Amino acid sequence: MKVILAIVQDKDSQVLQEKLVKGGFRSTKLPSTGGFLKAGNCTFIIGVEDEKVDIALEVIRKNCHTRSQYVTPTFLMPEAASSLAEPIQVQVGGATCFILPVEKFVRF
Ligand code: 2BA
């Protein structure tokens, strides 16, 4: 068994949750915050049998979309006044996924 930790954008999280259920996957959705943008995102914990990992990743890939966002990087240039700092564009990924081995899984 594996656990997939998938960090996705808030905008995609509801559809992803529904598609995971439809696909027969159990998941837990946690509110999270990206370290760089300091904006809300969602982290899914998905426990999956080894042979279904690729299917779960495909569900995530299909339903999570890359988007551009602008951020004013005052924290990268603390000497610049916020009014002087030019916003920069960043591509926020569809999903950032970590696939971890599960030593033991029990449900009571
Ligand atoms: P954030 O940390 O808010 O990052 C949002 C986007 O900002 C990133 O998109 C990336 O395009 C850009 N970015 C992040 N750190 C940067 C930096 N030091 N310099 C320049 N640009 C930077 P993604 O890479 O798609 O990441 C989306 C979200 O996934 C992240 O939100 C974070 O919550 C999570 N994430 C990404 N990589 C991670 C990692 N190695 N470990 C833990 N969480 C990660």
Side-chain angles (χ1 to χ4, degrees), residues 7 33-39 41 76 88 90-96 98:
I7 303 158
T33 304
F36 189 68
L37 294 180
K38 297 178 177 57
N41 52 26
L76 296 178
I88 57 165
V90 293
Q91 295 284 321
V92 185
T96 299
F98 301 90

Side-chain angles (χ1 to χ4, degrees), residues 42-53:
C42 286
T43 299
F44 282 79
I45 302 172
I46 312 163
V48 198
E49 295 308 323
D50 284 1
E51 61 275 16
K52 293 192 175 161
V53 167

Side-chain angles (χ1 to χ4, degrees), residues 2-91:
K2 299 282 191 292
V3 67
I4 300 173
L5 295 181
I7 303 158
V8 310
Q9 295 180 51
D10 280 341
K11 285 178 184 164
D12 295 320
S13 66
Q14 197 173 337
V15 169
L16 177 60
Q17 204 171 26
E18 289 163 9
K19 299 288 181 176
L20 286 170
V21 172
K22 277 192 187 152
F25 295 104
R26 294 178 186 225
S27 70
T28 298
K29 188 173 94 171
L30 304 174
S32 47
T33 304
F36 189 68
L37 294 180
K38 297 178 177 57
N41 52 26
C42 286
T43 299
F44 282 79
I45 302 172
I46 312 163
V48 198
E49 295 308 323
D50 284 1
E51 61 275 16
K52 293 192 175 161
V53 167
D54 288 340
I55 301 170
L57 290 175
E58 189 59 14
V59 173
I60 297 167
R61 192 189 64 75
K62 274 190 184 161
N63 292 288
C64 298
H65 308 287
T66 300
R67 296 182 182 87
S68 291
Q69 287 196 26
Y70 285 89
V71 57
T72 304
T74 49
F75 47 94
L76 296 178
M77 299 182 288
E79 70 282 1
S82 58
S83 58
L84 298 176
E86 287 288 320
I88 57 165
Q89 190 180 30
V90 293
Q91 295 284 321

